[in-house]
Amino acid sequence: VLQNLSQTPVLRELLKEAKLPGTTVKIESPELSMLCCFSFKQEPQLIKLDQPGPLTLAMHQFLTEMQETKKGVVTPKELFAQVCKKATRFKGYQQQDSHELLRYLLDGMKAEE
């Protein structure tokens, strides 16, 4: 799940911008001309971001380490600790489904908005 998220350029760029409080980001919807015969474009949304929460900051730090490190292994210790604070079911290192981790991770970051 984390490897897939690390390869999502929109998420990486948004987290990079979100780490600075008071930042306004512009989110543009892709053109839907490939899906139908009419070409139209939605207006971009401008969103002012508050101070990011600890889970969002940990996610940004982890994705940055995955992209920039020359080390062979990156461990998500801080990110995992923040996920466990939001969803205690992940404490104890028991086996969990990856889609549950994804859901709790994204829901937790959304709750920090």
Side-chain angles (χ1 to χ4, degrees):
V1 167
L2 295 176
Q3 288 174 333
N4 286 330
L5 290 175
S6 75
Q7 297 302 312
T8 308
V10 173
L11 177 63
R12 287 194 323 261
E13 289 302 314
L14 185 61
L15 287 173
K16 189 185 300 182
E17 293 179 28
K19 73 177 192 170
L20 304 170
T23 300
T24 300
V25 295
K26 180 167 68 170
I27 299 176
E28 297 186 57
S29 298
E31 288 189 17
L32 301 176
S33 59
M34 299 287 233
L35 300 176
C36 66
C37 55
F38 300 106
S39 178
F40 62 92
K41 186 175 181 180
Q42 294 179 341
E43 291 296 317
Q45 295 180 354
L46 296 176
I47 301 171
K48 185 171 181 178
L49 302 173
D50 293 327
Q51 175 70 34
L55 179 60
T56 303
L57 289 173
M59 183 66 175
H60 173 264
Q61 178 185 349
F62 176 74
L63 293 180
T64 300
E65 285 179 16
M66 282 196 71
Q67 292 296 313
E68 296 177 358
T69 188
K70 300 293 185 208
K71 298 186 296 184
V73 177
V74 177
T75 57
K77 280 185 180 180
E78 180 59 28
L79 179 58
F80 183 67
Q82 292 301 324
V83 168
C84 288
K85 286 180 183 178
K86 301 275 184 191
T88 56
R89 71 182 313 155
F90 291 102
K91 287 184 179 178
Y93 299 99
Q94 296 176 8
Q95 185 171 346
Q96 302 288 337
D97 291 330
S98 60
H99 71 276
E100 289 180 12
L101 172 67
L102 177 62
R103 192 182 90 209
Y104 281 102
L105 179 61
L106 296 178
D107 284 349
M109 288 172 36
K110 182 178 179 184
E112 290 182 344
E113 289 179 352

